[in-house]
């Protein structure tokens, strides 16, 4: 009798505790979405398209394009959340990838990251290794609520800087079935060490911190944020990859008025947080499948090569088994391709290989 009474009291206490220790889910804010087809690529008649919104765990409402195959099916479909490149919008490369992979039989969600494009978040034109990684998990949240999605086969695909964000999400989110990172940038490594690790020293990082924090002081005194002009007309002796960025973002090929890289540029101080973040630190612990795709002539190719090497090999004193999840990791190098070729050149982007990998 006493035991039963104790169980009843315990059950009531737990119910009261669980109700008092919950937080309401964030409300969806209304966004001003463009309903016209304003993409940098032609619309496909083989897929359906609609605008949708969802909320991340920071309470930011994200805008996305949802694509699905036109052909009717009685079975649940695999799904992919897509974002990138860094500073781009869903009307550019990520939308092209999403629409094309929908033609291959996936439900796809191309989203604008927080503070970018049609998505919410203020101030604008900033980035965060934490929040933007969360954006991928929030997209997975949304896809798992879609009745036509196979919840066991929800994958993510990140392009350029969001390739690194996708790997970071895969290391954290065990619901992700597989990850594809295309022409990947490790934004934390690039900001902390400079291109090709040429600024990888305490003194170089300290100099950048001094400069960026001085900018923070100036911003708060001025009452507004300064931005970094991006992709200005390159000089004749500029690195070829800078000319390639200009050719994509500032010409009819890839220009979009909502893209940071096509317009005003990033908040100057936004990269401070990336210098302290070790975004790809736990990628060797990713148990799910990963495909890295990179142009072999891309200036950024070393990011994918190094990330792949860490996921498939190496032994450390802390973890003797870093290689044990290597069997489902792949690196695909595209001959003669440069970084921006994999943004929109459909004749060399390996869509069939990506689709086959994700279905497998």
């Amino acid at each position: 009798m006493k035991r039963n009474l104790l169980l009843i009291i315990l059950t009531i206490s737990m119910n009261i505790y669980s109700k008092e220790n919950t937080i309401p889910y964030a409300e969806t804010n209304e966004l001003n979405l463009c309903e016209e087809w304003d993409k940098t690529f032609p619309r496909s008649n083989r897929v359906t398209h609609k605008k949708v919104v969802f909320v991340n765990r920071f309470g930011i409402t994200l805008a996305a394009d949802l694509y699905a195959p036109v052909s009717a099916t009685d079975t649940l479909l695999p799904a992919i959340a897509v974002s990138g490149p860094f500073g781009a919008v869903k009307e550019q490369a990520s939308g092209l990838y999403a629409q094309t992979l929908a033609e291959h039989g996936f439900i796809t969600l191309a989203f604008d990251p927080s503070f970018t494009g049609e998505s919410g978040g203020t101030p604008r034109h900033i980035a965060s290794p934490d929040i933007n990684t969360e954006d991928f998990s929030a997209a997975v949240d949304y896809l798992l609520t879609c009745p036509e999605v196979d919840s066991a086969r929800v994958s993510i695909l990140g392009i350029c800087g969001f390739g690194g964000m996708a790997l970071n999400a895969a290391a954290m989110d065990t619901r992700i079935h597989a990850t594809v990172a295309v022409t990947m940038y490790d934004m934390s490594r690039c900001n902390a060490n400079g291109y090709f690790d040429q600024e990888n020293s305490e003194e170089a990082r300290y100099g950048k911190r001094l400069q960026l924090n001085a900018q923070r002081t100036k911003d708060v005194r001025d009452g507004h944020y300064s931005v970094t002009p991006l992709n200005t007309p390159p000089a004749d002796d500029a690195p070829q990859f800078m000319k390639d960025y200009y050719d994509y973002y500032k010409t009819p090929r890839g220009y979009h008025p909502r893209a940071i890289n096509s317009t005003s540029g990033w908040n100057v101080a936004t990269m401070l947080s990336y210098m302290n973040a070790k975004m790809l630190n736990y990628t060797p612990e990713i148990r799910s499948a990963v495909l890295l795709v990179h142009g072999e002539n891309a200036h950024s190719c070393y990011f994918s090569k190094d990330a792949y090497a860490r996921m498939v090999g190496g032994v450390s004193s802390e973890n003797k088994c870093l290689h044990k999840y290597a069997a489902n990791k792949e690196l695909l190098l595209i001959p003669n391709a440069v970084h921006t070729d994999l943004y929109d050149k459909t004749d060399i982007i390996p869509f069939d290989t990506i689709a086959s990998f994700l279905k497998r």
Side-chain angles (χ1 to χ4, degrees):
M1 183 74 174
K2 289 182 179 179
R3 183 172 179 273
N4 290 339
L5 181 60
L6 181 61
L7 287 174
I8 292 170
I9 294 172
L10 181 61
T11 301
I12 293 171
S13 299
M14 289 180 66
N15 286 336
I16 294 173
Y17 178 84
S18 87
K19 288 178 182 178
E20 289 181 347
N21 287 270
T22 60
I23 300 172
Y25 203 78
E27 294 183 1
T28 303
N29 295 322
E30 186 174 348
L31 300 176
N32 184 22
L33 303 179
C34 176
E35 296 299 333
E36 298 177 359
W37 185 266
D38 62 345
K39 322 296 185 194
T40 59
F41 51 90
R43 189 168 192 166
S44 171
N45 59 10
R46 296 167 54 191
V47 304
T48 61
H49 162 265
K50 67 177 180 179
K51 288 286 186 75
V52 300
V53 295
F54 56 95
V55 183
N56 69 17
R57 69 181 177 89
F58 292 98
I60 300 170
T61 301
L62 303 182
D65 290 304
L66 186 69
Y67 298 88
V70 167
S71 53
T73 176
D74 294 330
T75 60
L76 297 176
L77 295 178
I80 316 168
V82 188
S83 195
F86 195 76
V89 289
K90 63 189 181 304
E91 288 72 25
Q92 296 171 310
S94 61
L96 172 64
Y97 272 75
Q99 178 175 260
T100 307
L101 289 169
E103 293 176 336
H104 282 71
F106 295 86
I107 293 171
T108 59
L109 185 74
F111 65 89
D112 284 335
S114 297
F115 316 108
T116 305
E118 292 186 304
S119 286
T122 57
R124 306 300 290 170
H125 292 197
I126 65 170
S128 161
D130 186 12
I131 296 174
N132 292 144
T133 297
E134 157 62 19
D135 289 341
F136 266 115
S137 287
V140 171
D141 291 342
Y142 176 85
L143 288 170
L144 288 174
T145 68
C146 295
E148 63 272 29
V149 167
D150 181 350
S151 61
R153 293 190 294 163
V154 175
S155 301
I156 61 175
L157 186 153
I159 306 164
C160 184
F162 275 81
M165 235 73 72
L167 292 179
N168 200 33
M172 174 186 67
D173 195 332
T174 58
R175 303 170 302 169
I176 294 171
H177 167 67
T179 301
V180 178
V182 180
T183 201
M184 189 269 290
Y185 253 57
D186 179 347
M187 294 302 300
S188 54
R189 178 179 177 182
C190 188
N191 280 282
N193 300 349
Y195 278 117
F196 316 113
D197 299 325
Q198 291 178 347
E199 300 169 4
N200 185 17
S201 72
E202 178 185 343
E203 287 305 311
R205 278 187 286 276
Y206 184 69
K208 285 188 278 190
R209 289 175 183 134
L210 283 174
Q211 182 180 358
L212 292 173
N213 282 294
Q215 183 63 53
R216 287 193 62 153
T217 302
K218 183 178 185 302
D219 288 346
V220 73
R221 287 175 176 168
D222 291 345
H224 57 76
Y225 296 99
S226 297
V227 296
T228 304
L230 291 175
N231 302 314
T232 54
D236 292 341
D237 60 349
Q240 182 58 46
F241 70 87
M242 300 304 295
K243 298 176 182 179
D244 294 338
Y245 283 136
Y246 180 86
D247 183 60
Y248 180 77
Y249 286 110
K250 291 299 182 81
T251 71
R253 172 186 167 193
Y255 174 86
H256 197 279
R258 288 194 294 273
I260 293 171
N261 291 341
S262 291
T263 54
S264 60
W266 289 99
N267 177 320
V268 175
T270 198
M271 297 309 168
L272 265 172
S273 60
Y274 284 92
M275 293 176 63
N276 272 16
K278 293 278 190 177
M279 283 181 52
L280 303 191
N281 195 51
Y282 294 106
T283 51
E285 298 178 9
I286 298 174
R287 301 189 184 190
S288 55
V290 175
L291 170 64
L292 298 164
V293 182
H294 225 113
E296 66 172 2
N297 290 345
H299 69 285
S300 53
C301 193
Y302 70 102
F303 288 129
S304 285
K305 288 180 177 178
D306 289 356
Y308 177 72
R310 290 195 69 232
M311 284 189 282
V312 301
V315 175
S316 72
S317 58
E318 297 85 30
N319 186 346
K320 298 294 185 182
C321 302
L322 289 179
H323 61 281
K324 65 182 177 180
Y325 306 122
N328 58 1
K329 308 300 186 291
E330 299 182 22
L331 172 65
L332 175 62
L333 298 180
I334 308 301
N336 304 316
V338 299
H339 185 88
T340 54
D341 285 343
L342 298 185
Y343 284 5
D344 65 339
K345 294 191 176 179
T346 55
D347 56 329
I348 66 171
I349 298 173
F351 285 117
D352 290 344
T353 301
I354 292 171
S356 175
F357 175 83
L358 292 176
K359 289 180 179 178
R360 184 173 72 250

